Amino acid sequence: MPFSKLGLEKNIVSSLQKQGYKKPTPIQEKVIPLVFQNKDIMAMAQTGSGKSASFILPILQLWSKNKGQGKAKIKVLVLTPTRELTLQVADFFTTFGENLPSKPKVVSIIGGEGIGDQLYAIQQGCDILVATSGRFLDVLSKKQMNLSHIEYLVLDEADKMLNLGFAEELDLILESIPKERQNLLFSATYPQKILDIASKITSNPIEVKVEEEIVVETIKQRVIEVNRENRGPLLRKLLEIHKWDLVLVFMANKRATDNIAAKFRKYGIESASFNGDLEQELRIETLNAFKQRKIKILFATDIAARGLDINDIDCVINYDLPRSPADYIHRIGRTARAGKSGEAISFISHEEQEHFKLIEKRSNIKLQREQIEGFELIGDAPKKVKGSAPVKGKGKSKKDKLREKKALAEANS
Ligand code: AMP
């Protein structure tokens, strides 16, 4: 479907073409017409889905039509969790507003810069204000902003704003803007806290959900056979050979991610773990460090399999196989993003052969098995003979079984 079918007019469509956007993404197809219908929206969208343009484009068009004469007035308020996203969204507004008969004045306010300058920029004339929520409150407390003309409130990546005091901060913000307005909420996940926030800010919102699109064709998938105890040394070898910049390694349980990250750090490799035990703030910090390449290898559980959008992940490694074929696709989809190519490597030992065959069958793929010199798979698959006494080194010891049971329980928790 072309952009023009969604109700976007020529001047916006032409800036889209200039930016190389050929057709709308699924979230854009759904959200853009709803914004034109003045609906409140609760969209479940991941970073990388094109969600920002899905609100920026129609809002720009609506703003342009209804701009009126005279001095700029803040009509659009977009709150985001991070400085990077704030600057990116503000940039998009500027870029796509370029061909409008009158260009909008876009101001971004983020922490780490002088409040005075930011207030001055707002007072000089601002149509569209994009801000991190924390800094917005600081500026708000100066009581020198006129927010009485706001018509659109957007919360982008709302689930990342869930720091301790956000609900109260939001109350303060809602008190200072008009009640009559259009509200657009974007979040990758919808935990109860976000649902509470949604019920506070939106009225009869339309819920929009799109499945994440993963382009498997650009991912080079490999399978390396290796004994389980050799996976760590093999991983180090691969890092040495390939000199990847960013690598995401999936593991079955939380504790293992912590342990191996600590071990790799001892080897002088910048590593961190990423799992469900991390506090939200630490999660954001870890991801930012990874994006900025301060961390080269992230050892993660499946929590990182969906929605994580970090461009330039060179390789995804399945240190442990995922449980389902769907998880396999989501995991490998963390690489080869934004039109780039990437690699996905699965380690399999004797025990995983059958499981991986099932993943292949369900995903409609057939991959060649490789072995790396010095790390060849040795031994036979443990035989499953009922009632036979365990053979040392082949079968699983009681301790192993207990360990596995524990790992499974942790992975399921
Ligand atoms: P977002 O999910 O909004 O963070 O967008 C992810 C990236 O996709 C951004 O770099 C956008 O420039 C890009 N993008 C968004 N919409 C489109 C589109 N329709 N065609 C091509 N690229 C897009």
Side-chain angles (χ1 to χ4, degrees):
M1 184 187 288
F3 277 109
S4 54
K5 282 260 162 69
L6 302 178
L8 291 168
E9 289 175 358
K10 255 202 214 133
N11 36 23
I12 295 215
V13 174
S14 66
S15 20
L16 284 164
Q17 281 161 349
K18 219 162 132 192
Q19 293 303 312
Y21 288 23
K22 294 197 175 69
K23 61 179 182 59
T25 63
I27 188 92
Q28 290 163 1
E29 278 189 16
K30 288 192 178 169
V31 168
I32 293 173
L34 290 172
V35 179
F36 283 136
Q37 290 165 34
N38 299 104
K39 304 281 188 204
D40 275 12
I41 298 172
M42 247 171 87
M44 183 181 272
Q46 323 280 357
T47 331
S49 58
K51 62 177 171 50
S52 308
S54 80
F55 65 83
I56 290 169
L57 303 173
I59 284 180
L60 273 173
Q61 187 164 310
L62 289 167
W63 169 84
S64 172
K65 295 240 142 129
N66 193 16
K67 185 192 161 298
Q69 298 297 314
K71 201 169 176 274
K73 298 183 181 100
I74 307 174
K75 291 200 169 169
V76 183
L77 172 63
V78 182
L79 297 176
T80 92
T82 63
R83 305 161 79 180
E84 297 81 45
L85 187 59
T86 296
L87 296 176
Q88 186 186 312
V89 167
D91 238 28
F92 276 11
F93 270 114
T94 307
T95 307
F96 294 119
E98 211 135 77
N99 286 349
L100 293 176
S102 158
K103 290 184 198 171
K105 296 198 165 119
V106 183
V107 176
S108 53
I109 54 178
I110 53 176
E113 289 179 3
I115 285 198
D117 289 348
Q118 292 176 344
L119 250 178
Y120 182 70
I122 294 168
Q123 285 161 351
Q124 284 301 98
C126 169
D127 297 300
I128 296 171
L129 185 60
V130 190
T132 51
S133 52
R135 177 49 69 104
F136 180 72
L137 277 170
D138 295 341
V139 179
L140 189 65
S141 68
K142 303 273 176 224
K143 297 195 184 339
Q144 291 178 39
M145 258 187 309
N146 181 357
L147 299 174
S148 63
H149 300 284
I150 286 185
E151 293 173 6
Y152 306 93
L153 172 67
V154 183
L155 257 61
D156 198 0
E157 301 194 1
D159 51 351
K160 293 191 187 151
M161 290 188 210
L162 286 178
N163 57 22
L164 233 48
F166 184 63
E168 291 84 64
E169 288 176 9
L170 191 64
D171 286 343
L172 282 175
I173 293 170
L174 294 180
E175 275 166 24
S176 56
I177 62 177
K179 305 233 163 341
E180 196 69 33
R181 49 170 208 267
Q182 191 174 358
N183 303 288
L184 312 174
L185 179 73
F186 291 82
S187 192
T189 56
Y190 273 84
Q192 189 55 45
K193 278 187 184 165
I194 290 291
L195 293 174
D196 294 345
I197 284 173
S199 69
K200 243 188 221 179
I201 65 167
T202 59
S203 80
N204 296 324
I206 309 272
E207 291 178 28
V208 176
K209 196 177 166 185
V210 286
E211 278 302 313
E212 195 181 9
E213 231 183 343
I214 296 170
V215 189
V216 180
E217 289 74 25
T218 47
I219 306 171
K220 182 180 173 200
Q221 299 175 65
R222 296 171 60 189
V223 186
I224 302 182
E225 293 179 322
V226 57
N227 289 86
R228 292 178 69 81
E229 62 276 19
N230 274 341
R231 290 175 297 175
L234 172 62
L235 179 53
R236 291 205 306 279
K237 180 76 185 173
L238 292 174
L239 294 174
E240 194 187 304
I241 298 173
H242 293 281
K243 312 227 172 330
W244 293 304
D245 247 355
L246 294 183
V247 181
L248 179 61
V249 182
F250 282 104
M251 308 192 70
N253 74 76
K254 297 176 199 166
R255 195 158 328 136
T257 63
D258 292 334
N259 292 345
I260 196 165
K263 204 164 169 184
F264 271 53
R265 280 196 295 272
K266 276 194 190 148
Y267 285 112
I269 302 167
E270 299 103 325
S271 323
S273 59
F274 188 80
N275 59 48
D277 282 350
L278 285 194
E279 295 284 334
Q280 183 70 16
E281 264 174 51
L282 200 54
R283 270 192 216 180
I284 295 170
E285 251 174 52
T286 306
L287 287 185
N288 282 340
F290 191 50
K291 279 184 195 165
Q292 293 158 12
R293 293 170 164 66
K294 289 179 193 152
I295 292 167
K296 298 282 176 92
I297 304 184
L298 202 60
F299 291 97
T301 53
D302 269 314
I303 185 181
R306 285 167 202 250
L308 191 72
D309 184 53
I310 297 184
N311 289 344
D312 304 328
I313 291 182
D314 302 294
C315 185
V316 167
I317 305 239
N318 286 319
Y319 193 95
D320 292 310
L321 287 185
R323 269 174 292 165
S324 73
D327 286 342
Y328 176 79
I329 296 295
H330 280 284
R331 281 185 179 189
I332 68 171
R334 296 314 101 206
T335 183
R337 300 189 71 76
K340 308 220 170 73
S341 57
E343 219 169 304
I345 300 178
S346 299
F347 289 168
I348 59 170
S349 178
H350 300 296
E351 292 88 342
E352 287 86 27
Q353 299 280 1
E354 287 308 311
H355 184 43
F356 197 75
K357 272 188 205 155
L358 195 76
I359 289 176
E360 285 181 301
K361 196 169 156 201
R362 297 266 173 83
S363 322
N364 225 354
I365 48 168
K366 184 91 194 96
L367 304 174
Q368 221 178 346
R369 275 42 173 175
E370 297 173 45
Q371 298 205 6
I372 305 291
E373 202 184 332
F375 302 88
E376 290 88 352
L377 182 65
I378 52 165
D380 300 319
K383 285 198 180 76
K384 284 184 205 150
V385 183
K386 238 183 171 175
S388 65
V391 181
K392 205 167 191 273
K394 285 210 170 170
K396 287 172 192 162
S397 68
K398 231 179 187 174
K399 223 170 163 184
D400 275 345
K401 280 186 193 159
L402 267 176
R403 225 178 267 142
E404 272 184 11
K405 220 170 163 185
K406 211 164 143 201
L408 196 68
E410 274 185 16
N412 285 330
S413 70

